[in-house]
Each structure stands twice: as structure tokens, then as C-alpha cells.
Amino acid sequence: MLHLQNYLNGQLVPPAAGRYLPNLEPATGEVFSYLPDSDAEDVARATAAAEAALPAWRRLPAEDRGRLLVRISELIERDLERLAQAESQDNGKPVSLARTVDIPRAASNFAFFGTAAQHFASETHFQEGVALNYTVRHPLGVVGCISPWNLPLYLFTWKIAPALAAGCTVVAKPSEITPYTAFLLSELCIEVGLPAGVLNIVHGTGPGAGQPIIEHPGIKGISFTGGTKTGEQIARTAAPMFKKLSLELGGKNPNIVFADCDLAETVRTSLRSSFANQGQICLCGSRIFIERSIYEQFKTDFLAGVADLTVADPQLETSRQGALVSEAHLQKVLCYIALAHAEGGTLLAGGQRVMLDGRCTNGYFLQPTVFEGLAPDCRVNREEIFGPVVTLTPFDTEEEVLTWANGTDYGLAATIWTRDLNRAHRVAHQLHSGIVWINTWLHRDLRTPFGGMKNSGVGREGGLEALRFFTEAQSITVKL
Ligand code: NDP
């Protein structure tokens, strides 16, 4: 059976201690490969390789670094189908989603940052007749990039590409639950001829391989995407070492539907924003607030759409809902469904595990689930479920819906549906969310700052924000 390897100092190598972990296919519940169960020794070797590679990599002109990154992007495009199949097998998402969203975006991440670094200019402040001040942005050094399982290659490359473009060298860890495409990426980096040690990929668990990355004194900054609890633990470890931190954490995003919206478009997109990737996207809008005058109409149309979301083997082109990522995660989501009943919710759709036939008999499938009648401040409406579960709640006034939308500890993303542009802007400015979409969802321009407020994170990624994160500003003043 396939044994994935770490990518250290330009080579694929087994873990130092020789231990491996089973990697399961969520659609079948079967082991389909093994991944290195790396530890502090592997991280130490990866960091030493990254430190050795740093001087030459940071000296390389941005254009030359960029050329290598663009070449990686081209190879991802060349291997799109193979990578999409691998992502679907490893994560449980429909292969059609991996083919149209995850893998193209991973290619764009490398292409975008490969060229962005060439447009990254630093500032000059001229004091007439007195002094010239200019800013130099030095690469931060060796950085750690740690990513979650929901959009495996998409989020892994969203961190690695800007770090490399900025002239940093990297020690990266994908989620132990979805390591496969990160391994395939290391093969592409070897094919491209990325210099040894510039990127090092260490596989393993959070405590076993992630924590040593956070603790290693040679790693100067950490870009982390994952759960808020893990983010807390990382901040606790890294803060006393004065490491630079970018934390992209959980969300509980409101989707606000005003009566004057384009209802057909709102329903179509709300189905996606509720259930894409089985609701396992940090940006999914799991709390849908609907202005009372159109509540019943929205509910009828939305439930009709939910009935069309075929839960099926993710390898099938007809599959609209694949498997959840693991048995443990499925059980967590089922607990929230039980809680929704206990908190007085009325089940409108779904709510049950799905048992499929054939190769998927033991897969982790769940019906897309919709509740109504839950209080806006109940636990189901405040805590991140990260699965195919949404709540519908009617509202009467703008003030009321703003209070509810802002009434969680999270502040990642929000969606507003209305034809009244004045209202759209007014509401957007009052939402405590790092990202607000008006009459759209998941529309991404890689130049825009990306990140959350409150417990959804610290710092911003994307575009120049990412290049600023991975560099350190130095101010130089020349007396005239
Ligand atoms: P986790 O926080 O469990 O894990 C994220 C990554 O951190 C994994 O690689 C994990 O390894 C690793 N890790 C775990 N513990 C430690 C540790 N002590 N030190 C270093 N690394 C560690 O998140 P999930 O993978 O469960 O992802 C889901 C979460 O991610 C959700 O809360 C979701 O909202 C959030 N997310 C946020 C996004 C954003 O942009 N704001 C985007 C996507 C997801 P391992 O998996 O091997 O345990």
C-alpha cells in the first residue's frame, strides 16, 4: 500500500522514527495509504534544511523565485485530474468540486504569488531638505505553515506560495487527515527543481509534528489555519517566543436575506453557501436570517433545492454531497443535530446518517440538514458545527438582524442579499466580519485581504497582506 513520505531538503524521506499512521478514505472508511507519524526530530531536520537554504533563496531575484512558482502552478494544471481524484479520495468531497474549485485554486495561488512578489514595492517618505526615509522589507526567515483538512491543497498552497514568493523558506504541515495532495505537491516541487530545503513538508499529527514547528526557535513566524481552540494553543506557545503569527480560525457566518432580494439567485447561492463541501468550509453561511415577509417562500424554495442535493459516492459525477471527513467529525455533527432537537428546533430536512450501498457502505455520509424555530442565541446558533447543518430564522428589522448576526464570538464572513445598495453598504459596515459578500458568496479576488475578526483570527492573508506578513520592515533614514 502507498506510503507517503516527508519532503525534506529536496528529497522524499521516511520519518526519522520509522512510524506511520493509517490514512482513511472517508467515502469507504477503508485505509488507502499510510503517512509519516513525524516528530520533533523530523521538524528539527526540516528546519535545519530550511535554514541552510535561506541565504541563497532570499538573495534570488523575486523574478527568479516567481518563475519557479509559476512552473509549479503549470504542473498542478497539467495534473489537475489526478490531483482532483486524490483530493476527493482523501477528503470525501465530490470530485467535481475538487476539479472546479480546490485544484484550480491551488494552481492560482502559485501563479498569483509568483508574479505578485515582483509588484511588491516598499515605501519612501521624503522630508523636504531634511531626510530621506525608506523601508526595506526583508524576508522573515524560516516560517511554519500549518493547514486544515477541509480544503487541503487549496489552503496549504495559500500559505506556502506567498511565503516562498517573499523569500522565506518553509517548514509546512498539512492535516494528518488529508495529507495526500501535499505529498503529490512535493513530487511536483522535485520535478520543477525547487532548490533543496526551500520547502519542507513534514507529515504527522498536530501534537506530534505541529507543536514542534510552533516551538522550534529557528522558526520565526507561523501561518496557521484551523480551529479556534488550536489557534489559542498556538498563540500560547508562540507569543512568549515573539513569533509573528497569522491565525485564520473558525466561523459561524450569517447569511442575511432581505425581502427585496433576487429570490431565485439567493436560494441558488444559499444552497451552495450552506452545503458546499458538506458545509465544511469556514466561510459557509450556517445561520440564514430571512425577512419575515418572504420567509415561507424562501423556506419552500430552499427545501426544494435541498431535496435535489444527491448524497452519493464522491467519485460519481452526479454526487452533490460527498462524505464528511471522518467518523469522529460525523459524530460531532450528529451531536449538534441532537442538540438542535434538545434546544427546541423543528427539523425541516435531513438529520440522519446516510448508509450507501456498494463500496461506500461504511462511509461517513450525512443528509443535508435544515432546522427552524431555534433561538438566535442558542448553542446551535452560536457554535461552529462545520457540517451540512443550517438554521432558518425570520427577522423583522435591520437592527434586529444585525444584533443576531453579530451575536457570536466569531467574525469571519457574512452574506447580504438585497437590491437596495444603500442598505447593503449600511449593513455591511455594521457587521463584525472580516469579509462581507453582497449578492454573492465565495467570490474571491486573491488581491483582497482575507481574515476574521474576534475569535475568527488575527491578521490578514491574501495579496500584499500576505507578503507583508512574510516580511519584516526595516526603516532606513538618510540625513540630507
Ligand atoms: P485543527 O485546528 O484541528 O487543525 C488544523 C491544523 O493544525 C492541522 O494540520 C492539525 O494537525 C494542526 N494542529 C493541531 N494541533 C496542533 C498543535 N498543537 N500545534 C500545531 N499544529 C496543530 O482544525 P481542523 O483541521 O479540524 O480544521 C477545521 C477548522 O479550521 C474549523 O474550525 C474551520 O473553521 C477552520 N478553518 C478556518 C479557515 C479560515 O480561513 N479562517 C479556513 C478553513 C478552515 P492534525 O490535523 O494532524 O491534527
Side-chain angles (χ1 to χ4, degrees):
M1 193 175 283
L2 176 65
H3 277 63
L4 310 184
Q5 304 293 353
N6 287 332
Y7 173 50
L8 297 195
N9 206 20
Q11 293 183 326
L12 296 176
V13 294
R19 287 190 311 268
Y20 287 84
L21 297 162
N23 185 25
L24 276 69
E25 178 175 357
T28 64
E30 304 284 333
V31 176
F32 78 99
S33 62
Y34 287 86
L35 69 138
D37 183 10
S38 307
D39 58 23
E41 176 56 28
D42 298 284
V43 170
R45 290 181 191 178
T47 310
E51 282 172 337
L54 184 64
W57 182 250
R58 64 186 292 166
R59 264 200 315 273
L60 209 61
E63 195 180 344
D64 294 347
R65 289 198 298 263
R67 201 172 285 130
L68 284 163
L69 301 189
V70 170
R71 185 74 191 117
I72 295 173
S73 158
E74 288 165 356
L75 294 195
I76 293 174
E77 281 173 351
R78 181 197 70 189
D79 291 355
L80 189 141
E81 188 55 31
R82 177 173 180 235
L83 289 163
Q85 296 286 347
E87 202 71 293
S88 167
Q89 182 178 24
D90 207 13
N91 170 277
K93 66 181 67 206
V95 68
S96 56
L97 184 71
R99 192 185 288 131
T100 51
V101 175
D102 293 71
I103 309 304
R105 175 57 193 278
S108 305
N109 287 341
F110 277 108
F112 176 82
F113 285 108
T115 49
Q118 296 170 48
H119 304 275
F120 185 40
S122 61
E123 310 90 76
T124 310
H125 300 95
F126 185 63
Q127 291 171 297
E128 188 73 43
V130 182
L132 168 68
N133 309 277
Y134 66 95
T135 307
V136 182
R137 290 194 176 269
H138 298 288
L140 198 53
V142 179
V143 295
C145 296
I146 299 182
S147 58
W149 48 258
N150 63 326
L151 301 167
L153 193 62
Y154 175 135
L155 289 174
F156 196 55
T157 55
W158 177 236
K159 300 181 172 306
I160 290 170
L164 296 177
C168 296
T169 55
V170 176
V171 177
K173 191 195 91 63
S175 170
E176 118 208 21
I177 302 168
T178 53
Y180 193 15
T181 47
F183 169 72
L184 296 176
L185 174 70
S186 49
E187 291 185 333
L188 297 183
C189 292
I190 292 171
E191 186 178 340
V192 158
L194 194 67
V198 162
L199 170 64
N200 304 274
I201 300 177
V202 181
H203 293 276
T205 65
Q211 187 70 18
I213 293 178
I214 312 301
E215 289 171 1
H216 198 296
I219 293 179
K220 304 300 176 200
I222 306 285
S223 172
F224 169 82
T225 300
T228 296
K229 277 266 159 292
T230 319
E232 247 179 73
Q233 155 75 12
I234 287 175
R236 205 174 295 123
T237 310
M241 301 171 81
F242 306 111
K243 293 191 181 196
K244 210 170 171 186
L245 280 182
S246 168
L247 302 174
E248 300 293 339
L249 309 176
K252 186 72 184 177
N253 310 308
N255 177 7
I256 304 172
V257 180
F258 287 98
D260 65 348
C261 69
D262 174 340
L263 188 61
E265 177 58 27
T266 304
V267 169
R268 201 166 33 247
T269 304
S270 295
L271 286 163
R272 270 198 321 119
S273 66
S274 301
F275 300 116
N277 206 35
Q278 296 73 249
Q280 302 167 126
I281 300 181
C282 53
L283 305 165
C284 277
S286 55
R287 297 181 293 149
I288 311 182
F289 298 111
I290 306 127
E291 198 164 359
R292 195 176 299 279
S293 60
I294 61 158
Y295 183 81
E296 290 303 325
Q297 187 61 57
F298 178 93
K299 183 165 99 179
T300 305
D301 296 357
F302 187 74
L303 292 176
V306 173
D308 283 343
L309 293 174
T310 318
V311 181
D313 184 342
Q315 285 188 354
L316 298 175
E317 297 299 332
T318 49
S319 173
R320 302 272 309 276
Q321 291 282 286
L324 270 67
V325 79
S326 66
E327 177 70 35
H329 189 59
L330 171 65
Q331 292 306 328
K332 177 191 149 182
V333 178
L334 284 168
C335 283
Y336 272 106
I337 291 174
L339 179 65
H341 286 293
E343 290 189 315
T346 303
L347 183 69
L348 299 175
Q352 300 289 327
R353 185 172 187 161
V354 179
M355 307 310 286
L356 295 175
D357 295 332
R359 76 175 205 108
C360 295
T361 316
N362 297 317
Y364 317 130
F365 296 89
L366 183 64
Q367 293 170 332
T369 298
V370 185
F371 278 95
E372 69 173 353
L374 283 156
D377 62 350
C378 72
R379 278 185 58 202
V380 166
N381 271 329
R382 280 187 291 114
E383 297 177 15
E384 185 183 45
I385 300 175
F386 216 56
V389 180
V390 297
T391 62
L392 308 185
T393 308
F395 70 87
D396 291 303
T397 66
E398 209 173 289
E399 293 67 33
E400 178 179 58
V401 78
L402 271 166
T403 307
W404 293 345
N406 289 333
T408 75
D409 292 336
Y410 294 107
L412 186 54
T415 310
I416 301 167
W417 294 95
T418 178
R419 285 193 172 97
D420 178 343
L421 266 188
N422 283 334
R423 171 161 56 199
H425 290 293
R426 188 169 63 235
V427 172
H429 293 189
Q430 294 175 80
L431 283 166
H432 305 159
S433 299
I435 299 146
V436 179
W437 282 295
I438 297 170
N439 297 329
T440 184
W441 176 73
L442 207 63
H443 185 101
R444 291 284 297 125
D445 178 328
L446 303 193
R447 294 169 299 183
T448 57
F450 178 91
M453 299 179 180
K454 302 195 281 188
N455 291 5
S456 289
V458 177
R460 294 292 180 271
E461 298 187 340
L464 299 181
E465 300 279 349
L467 295 175
R468 284 192 197 105
F469 175 76
F470 287 114
T471 52
E472 193 148 47
Q474 181 184 39
S475 230
I476 298 181
T477 300
V478 188
K479 187 168 180 290
L480 296 181

Coordinates of all heavy atoms in Angstrom, one line a residue, residues 146-151 155 158 173-178 204-207 209-214 224-231 233-234 247-251 280-283 329 332 384 386 410 412 450-452 456 461, ligand 1:
I146 N 0.8 25.8 8.6 CA 0.0 24.6 9.1 C -1.4 24.8 8.6 O -2.0 25.9 8.8 CB 0.1 24.6 10.7 CG1 1.6 24.4 11.1 CG2 -0.8 23.4 11.2 CD1 1.8 24.2 12.6
S147 N -1.9 23.8 8.0 CA -3.3 23.9 7.4 C -4.2 22.8 7.8 O -3.8 21.8 8.2 CB -3.1 24.0 5.8 OG -2.4 22.8 5.4
P148 N -5.5 23.0 7.6 CA -6.5 22.1 8.0 C -6.9 21.1 6.9 O -6.4 21.1 5.8 CB -7.7 23.0 8.4 CG -7.6 24.1 7.4 CD -6.2 24.3 7.1
W149 N -8.0 20.3 7.2 CA -8.3 19.2 6.2 C -9.4 19.6 5.3 O -9.7 18.8 4.4 CB -8.8 18.0 7.0 CG -9.8 18.3 8.1 CD1 -9.5 18.3 9.5 CD2 -11.2 18.5 8.0 NE1 -10.7 18.6 10.2 CE2 -11.7 18.7 9.3 CE3 -12.1 18.6 6.9 CZ2 -13.1 19.0 9.5 CZ3 -13.4 18.8 7.1 CH2 -13.9 19.1 8.4
N150 N -10.1 20.7 5.4 CA -11.3 20.9 4.6 C -11.1 21.3 3.2 O -11.8 20.8 2.3 CB -12.2 21.9 5.3 CG -11.6 23.3 5.4 OD1 -10.4 23.4 5.6 ND2 -12.4 24.3 5.3
L151 N -10.0 22.1 3.0 CA -9.7 22.5 1.6 C -8.2 22.2 1.5 O -7.3 23.1 1.6 CB -10.0 23.9 1.3 CG -11.4 24.4 1.5 CD1 -11.5 25.9 1.5 CD2 -12.3 23.8 0.4
L155 N -5.7 25.4 0.8 CA -5.3 26.2 1.9 C -3.8 26.0 2.1 O -3.1 26.9 2.6 CB -6.1 25.9 3.1 CG -7.5 26.4 3.1 CD1 -8.3 25.9 4.3 CD2 -7.6 27.9 3.0
W158 N -2.1 28.3 -0.3 CA -2.4 29.7 0.0 C -1.4 30.3 1.0 O -1.2 31.5 1.1 CB -3.8 29.7 0.6 CG -4.4 31.0 1.1 CD1 -4.9 31.2 2.3 CD2 -4.7 32.2 0.3 NE1 -5.5 32.5 2.4 CE2 -5.3 33.1 1.1 CE3 -4.4 32.5 -1.0 CZ2 -5.7 34.3 0.7 CZ3 -4.8 33.8 -1.4 CH2 -5.4 34.7 -0.6
K173 N 3.2 21.8 7.4 CA 2.5 20.5 7.8 C 1.0 20.6 7.4 O 0.3 21.4 7.8 CB 2.5 20.3 9.3 CG 2.1 18.9 9.8 CD 1.7 18.8 11.2 CE 0.3 19.1 11.5 NZ -0.7 18.2 10.9
P174 N 0.6 19.6 6.5 CA -0.8 19.5 6.2 C -1.5 18.8 7.3 O -0.8 18.2 8.2 CB -0.8 18.7 4.9 CG 0.5 17.9 5.0 CD 1.5 18.6 5.8
S175 N -2.8 18.7 7.2 CA -3.5 18.0 8.2 C -3.2 16.5 8.1 O -3.2 16.0 7.0 CB -5.0 18.2 8.1 OG -5.7 17.3 8.9
E176 N -3.1 15.8 9.2 CA -2.9 14.4 9.2 C -4.1 13.6 8.5 O -3.9 12.5 8.0 CB -2.6 13.9 10.6 CG -3.6 12.9 11.1 CD -3.8 13.0 12.7 OE1 -3.5 14.0 13.3 OE2 -4.3 12.0 13.2
I177 N -5.2 14.3 8.5 CA -6.4 13.6 8.0 C -6.5 13.7 6.5 O -7.1 12.8 5.8 CB -7.7 14.3 8.6 CG1 -7.6 14.2 10.1 CG2 -9.0 13.7 8.1 CD1 -8.6 15.1 10.9
T178 N -5.8 14.7 5.9 CA -5.8 14.8 4.4 C -4.4 15.2 3.9 O -4.1 16.3 3.4 CB -6.8 15.9 4.0 OG1 -6.4 17.1 4.7 CG2 -8.2 15.6 4.2
G204 N 2.2 14.4 9.8 CA 2.0 13.9 11.1 C 0.9 14.6 11.8 O 0.2 15.4 11.3
T205 N 0.8 14.2 13.1 CA -0.3 14.8 13.9 C 0.0 16.2 14.4 O 1.1 16.7 14.4 CB -0.6 13.9 15.2 OG1 0.6 14.0 16.0 CG2 -0.8 12.4 14.8
G206 N -1.1 16.8 14.9 CA -0.9 18.2 15.5 C 0.1 18.2 16.6 O 1.1 18.9 16.6
P207 N -0.2 17.3 17.7 CA 0.8 17.3 18.8 C 2.1 16.8 18.4 O 3.2 17.3 18.9 CB 0.1 16.4 19.8 CG -1.3 16.3 19.4 CD -1.4 16.6 17.9
A209 N 3.8 16.6 15.2 CA 4.6 17.3 14.2 C 4.3 18.8 14.2 O 5.1 19.6 13.9 CB 4.3 16.7 12.9
G210 N 3.0 19.1 14.5 CA 2.6 20.6 14.5 C 3.2 21.3 15.7 O 3.9 22.4 15.5
Q211 N 3.1 20.8 16.9 CA 3.5 21.5 18.0 C 5.1 21.8 18.0 O 5.5 22.9 18.3 CB 3.1 20.7 19.3 CG 3.4 21.4 20.6 CD 2.5 22.6 20.9 OE1 1.5 22.8 20.3 NE2 3.0 23.5 21.8
P212 N 5.9 20.8 17.5 CA 7.3 21.1 17.4 C 7.6 22.2 16.4 O 8.6 22.9 16.6 CB 7.9 19.8 16.9 CG 7.0 18.7 17.4 CD 5.6 19.3 17.3
I213 N 6.8 22.4 15.4 CA 7.0 23.5 14.5 C 6.8 24.8 15.2 O 7.6 25.8 15.1 CB 6.1 23.4 13.3 CG1 6.4 22.2 12.4 CG2 6.1 24.7 12.4 CD1 5.5 22.0 11.2
I214 N 5.7 24.9 16.0 CA 5.4 26.1 16.8 C 6.6 26.4 17.8 O 6.9 27.5 18.0 CB 4.1 25.9 17.6 CG1 3.0 25.4 16.7 CG2 3.7 27.3 18.2 CD1 2.6 26.2 15.5
F224 N -1.1 29.9 10.3 CA -2.0 28.8 10.8 C -3.4 29.0 10.3 O -4.0 30.0 10.5 CB -1.9 28.6 12.3 CG -2.9 27.6 12.8 CD1 -2.7 26.3 12.8 CD2 -4.1 28.1 13.3 CE1 -3.6 25.4 13.3 CE2 -5.1 27.2 13.8 CZ -4.8 25.8 13.8
T225 N -4.0 27.9 9.8 CA -5.5 27.9 9.5 C -6.0 26.7 10.2 O -5.5 25.6 10.0 CB -5.8 27.9 8.0 OG1 -5.3 29.1 7.4 CG2 -7.3 27.9 7.8
G226 N -7.0 26.9 11.0 CA -7.6 25.7 11.7 C -8.6 26.2 12.7 O -9.1 27.3 12.7
G227 N -8.9 25.4 13.7 CA -9.9 25.6 14.7 C -9.4 26.7 15.7 O -8.2 26.9 15.9
T228 N -10.4 27.4 16.3 CA -10.1 28.5 17.3 C -9.4 27.9 18.5 O -8.4 28.5 19.0 CB -11.4 29.2 17.7 OG1 -11.9 29.8 16.5 CG2 -11.2 30.3 18.7
K229 N -9.7 26.7 19.0 CA -9.1 26.1 20.2 C -7.6 25.9 19.9 O -6.7 26.2 20.7 CB -9.7 24.8 20.6 CG -11.0 25.0 21.4 CD -10.6 24.8 22.9 CE -11.6 25.5 23.8 NZ -11.7 26.9 23.8
T230 N -7.3 25.3 18.7 CA -5.9 25.1 18.3 C -5.2 26.4 18.2 O -4.0 26.5 18.6 CB -5.8 24.3 17.0 OG1 -6.8 23.3 17.0 CG2 -4.5 23.6 16.8
G231 N -5.8 27.4 17.6 CA -5.2 28.7 17.5 C -4.8 29.3 18.8 O -3.7 29.9 19.0
Q233 N -4.0 27.6 21.5 CA -2.9 26.8 22.0 C -1.6 27.3 21.3 O -0.5 27.4 21.9 CB -3.1 25.3 21.7 CG -2.0 24.4 21.5 CD -1.4 24.1 22.9 OE1 -1.9 24.4 23.9 NE2 -0.2 23.5 22.9
I234 N -1.7 27.6 20.0 CA -0.5 28.0 19.2 C -0.1 29.4 19.7 O 1.1 29.6 19.9 CB -0.9 28.0 17.7 CG1 -0.9 26.6 17.2 CG2 0.1 28.8 16.9 CD1 -1.4 26.4 15.8
L247 N -3.3 33.9 12.3 CA -4.2 32.9 12.7 C -5.6 33.0 11.9 O -6.3 34.0 12.1 CB -4.5 32.9 14.2 CG -3.2 32.8 15.1 CD1 -3.6 33.0 16.5 CD2 -2.5 31.5 14.9
E248 N -5.9 32.1 11.1 CA -7.2 32.0 10.4 C -8.0 31.0 11.0 O -7.7 29.8 10.9 CB -7.0 31.7 8.9 CG -6.1 32.7 8.2 CD -6.7 34.1 8.0 OE1 -8.0 34.2 8.1 OE2 -6.0 35.1 7.9
L249 N -9.0 31.3 11.8 CA -9.7 30.4 12.7 C -11.2 30.1 12.2 O -11.5 30.4 11.1 CB -9.6 30.8 14.1 CG -8.1 31.2 14.5 CD1 -8.1 31.8 15.9 CD2 -7.2 30.0 14.4
G250 N -12.0 29.7 13.2 CA -13.3 29.2 12.9 C -14.3 30.4 12.5 O -14.0 31.5 12.6
G251 N -15.5 30.0 12.2 CA -16.5 31.0 11.8 C -17.9 30.4 12.2 O -18.1 29.2 12.3
Q280 N -18.4 22.0 5.1 CA -17.1 22.1 5.8 C -16.2 23.1 5.1 O -15.1 22.8 4.7 CB -16.4 20.7 5.7 CG -17.3 19.6 6.3 CD -16.8 18.2 6.0 OE1 -16.5 17.4 6.9 NE2 -16.6 17.9 4.7
I281 N -16.7 24.3 5.0 CA -15.9 25.5 4.6 C -16.1 26.5 5.6 O -17.2 26.8 6.1 CB -16.3 26.0 3.2 CG1 -16.2 24.9 2.1 CG2 -15.5 27.2 2.8 CD1 -16.6 25.3 0.7
C282 N -14.9 27.1 6.1 CA -15.0 28.1 7.2 C -15.9 29.3 6.8 O -16.4 30.0 7.7 CB -13.6 28.6 7.5 SG -12.7 29.2 6.1
L283 N -16.2 29.5 5.5 CA -16.9 30.6 5.0 C -18.4 30.3 4.8 O -19.2 31.1 4.4 CB -16.3 31.1 3.7 CG -14.9 31.5 3.8 CD1 -14.2 31.6 2.5 CD2 -14.7 32.7 4.6
H329 N -15.7 13.3 13.1 CA -16.3 14.6 12.7 C -17.8 14.4 12.5 O -18.6 15.2 12.9 CB -15.6 15.2 11.5 CG -16.1 16.6 11.2 ND1 -16.0 17.6 12.2 CD2 -16.7 17.1 10.2 CE1 -16.5 18.7 11.7 NE2 -17.0 18.5 10.5
K332 N -19.5 14.3 15.7 CA -19.6 15.6 16.3 C -20.8 16.4 15.7 O -21.6 17.0 16.4 CB -18.3 16.4 16.0 CG -18.4 17.8 16.5 CD -17.2 18.7 16.0 CE -17.7 20.1 15.9 NZ -16.7 21.1 15.4
E384 N -19.6 26.7 16.2 CA -19.3 26.3 14.8 C -19.6 24.8 14.7 O -19.0 24.0 15.5 CB -17.8 26.6 14.5 CG -17.5 26.2 13.1 CD -16.0 26.4 12.8 OE1 -15.1 26.0 13.6 OE2 -15.7 26.9 11.7
F386 N -19.6 23.1 11.5 CA -18.7 22.8 10.4 C -19.1 21.5 9.7 O -18.4 20.6 9.4 CB -17.2 22.5 10.9 CG -16.2 23.0 10.0 CD1 -16.2 24.3 9.5 CD2 -15.2 22.1 9.6 CE1 -15.2 24.7 8.6 CE2 -14.2 22.5 8.7 CZ -14.2 23.8 8.2
Y410 N -17.6 34.7 16.9 CA -16.9 34.7 15.7 C -17.1 35.9 14.8 O -18.1 36.6 15.0 CB -17.3 33.4 14.9 CG -16.9 32.1 15.5 CD1 -17.9 31.3 16.1 CD2 -15.6 31.7 15.6 CE1 -17.5 30.1 16.7 CE2 -15.2 30.5 16.2 CZ -16.2 29.7 16.7 OH -15.9 28.5 17.3
L412 N -16.0 35.9 11.0 CA -15.2 35.6 9.7 C -15.8 36.2 8.5 O -15.3 37.1 7.9 CB -15.0 34.1 9.6 CG -14.1 33.6 8.5 CD1 -12.7 34.3 8.6 CD2 -13.9 32.1 8.5
F450 N -7.8 38.9 3.5 CA -8.7 37.7 3.9 C -8.4 37.4 5.4 O -7.2 37.2 5.7 CB -8.4 36.5 3.0 CG -9.2 35.3 3.4 CD1 -10.4 35.1 2.8 CD2 -8.8 34.5 4.4 CE1 -11.2 34.0 3.2 CE2 -9.6 33.4 4.8 CZ -10.8 33.2 4.2
G451 N -9.4 37.4 6.2 CA -9.2 37.0 7.6 C -10.4 37.4 8.4 O -11.4 38.1 7.9
G452 N -10.4 37.0 9.7 CA -11.6 37.2 10.5 C -11.3 38.2 11.7 O -10.2 38.5 12.0
S456 N -12.4 34.7 15.2 CA -12.1 34.1 13.9 C -10.6 34.3 13.5 O -10.3 33.9 12.4 CB -13.1 34.6 12.9 OG -14.3 34.1 13.1
E461 N -4.6 37.5 5.4 CA -3.8 36.9 4.4 C -4.3 37.4 3.0 O -5.2 38.2 3.0 CB -3.9 35.4 4.5 CG -3.3 34.9 5.8 CD -3.2 33.3 5.9 OE1 -3.9 32.6 5.1 OE2 -2.5 32.9 6.7
Ligands
NDP1 P1 -7.5 21.9 13.7 O1 -7.3 23.2 14.4 O2 -7.8 20.7 14.4 O3 -6.2 21.6 12.8 C1 -5.6 22.4 11.9 C2 -4.1 22.1 11.7 O4 -3.4 22.3 12.9 C3 -3.9 20.6 11.4 O5 -2.8 20.4 10.5 C4 -3.6 20.0 12.7 O6 -3.0 18.8 12.6 C5 -2.7 21.1 13.3 N1 -2.6 21.1 14.8 C6 -3.4 20.5 15.7 N2 -2.9 20.8 16.9 C7 -1.8 21.4 16.8 C8 -0.8 22.0 17.7 N3 -0.9 21.9 19.0 N4 0.3 22.6 17.2 C9 0.4 22.8 15.8 N5 -0.5 22.3 14.9 C10 -1.6 21.6 15.4 O7 -8.6 22.3 12.6 P2 -9.3 21.3 11.6 O8 -8.2 20.6 10.7 O9 -10.2 20.5 12.3 O10 -10.0 22.3 10.6 C11 -11.3 22.8 10.8 C12 -11.2 24.2 11.4 O11 -10.5 25.1 10.5 C13 -12.6 24.8 11.5 O12 -12.7 25.5 12.8 C14 -12.6 25.9 10.4 O13 -13.4 27.0 10.7 C15 -11.2 26.3 10.4 N6 -10.9 26.9 9.1 C16 -10.6 28.3 9.1 C17 -10.4 28.9 7.8 C18 -10.1 30.3 7.8 O14 -9.6 30.8 6.7 N7 -10.4 31.1 8.8 C19 -10.4 28.1 6.6 C20 -10.7 26.7 6.8 C21 -10.9 26.1 8.0 P3 -3.8 17.4 12.6 O15 -4.9 17.6 11.6 O16 -2.8 16.4 12.1 O17 -4.3 17.2 13.9

